[in-house]
Amino acid sequence: ASYKFYLWKRNKFVGLQSCVTKKWIGLNYMGKELTCSAKQFGQREELEIDDNSNSCFDISDDTITTKIIIVSSNWGKGGWILLQSNRLIVSKFDMSVEHMAPFWKIETANSEE
């Protein structure tokens, strides 16, 4: 599947905003599930691109392939975004879980797309 999001950068964090709904990807109120329902780019929506996964950290490039960490999960310790049974879930931030985290491809799109 392919979805279009705007990629925003704030300090060392990034945020993903839906091109269609203008809502942000982040943790739900209970901090357990990933949703796309936030109206603003707050702490629950801060993501980090994993610089240990041989990803390119310069978001000005046309394509980035990386693992993604949601910073506020697990009481601020962070967690990997995983794909499990066709659902996005948030794991703990632990090297024993890192191998399960998929690589995400982020591409720069033309304004006409």
Side-chain angles (χ1 to χ4, degrees):
S2 177
Y3 301 95
K4 292 184 180 181
F5 290 88
Y6 297 111
L7 179 68
W8 296 88
K9 186 174 181 184
R10 179 173 64 200
N11 300 322
K12 68 177 188 170
F13 302 118
V14 297
L16 295 173
Q17 183 185 35
S18 170
C19 294
V20 176
T21 66
K22 305 297 188 244
K23 304 258 175 135
W24 295 84
I25 289 182
L27 286 178
N28 69 350
Y29 181 71
M30 299 301 291
K32 304 247 183 217
E33 296 178 8
L34 202 61
T35 66
C36 188
S37 59
K39 294 180 181 177
Q40 60 187 7
F41 184 11
Q43 289 180 331
R44 292 181 180 274
E45 292 72 44
E46 291 177 335
L47 308 172
E48 192 170 309
I49 296 172
D50 177 31
D51 58 356
N52 292 325
S53 64
N54 297 321
S55 63
C56 180
F57 220 56
D58 181 3
I59 65 172
S60 64
D61 282 355
D62 288 342
T63 302
I64 301 169
T65 303
T66 184
K67 296 179 180 185
I68 300 177
I69 300 162
I70 186 142
V71 179
S72 63
S73 65
N74 300 303
W75 299 100
K77 295 178 185 172
W80 302 104
I81 296 178
L82 305 180
L83 182 61
Q84 191 174 68
S85 301
N86 292 324
R87 288 184 28 228
L88 292 176
I89 63 166
V90 180
S91 75
K92 60 184 178 175
F93 182 65
D94 188 298
M95 292 305 128
S96 67
V97 180
E98 181 185 13
H99 72 280
M100 296 186 304
F103 283 92
W104 299 90
K105 186 176 181 181
I106 302 169
E107 295 180 316
T108 302
N110 295 330
S111 58
E112 294 127 24
E113 292 182 18

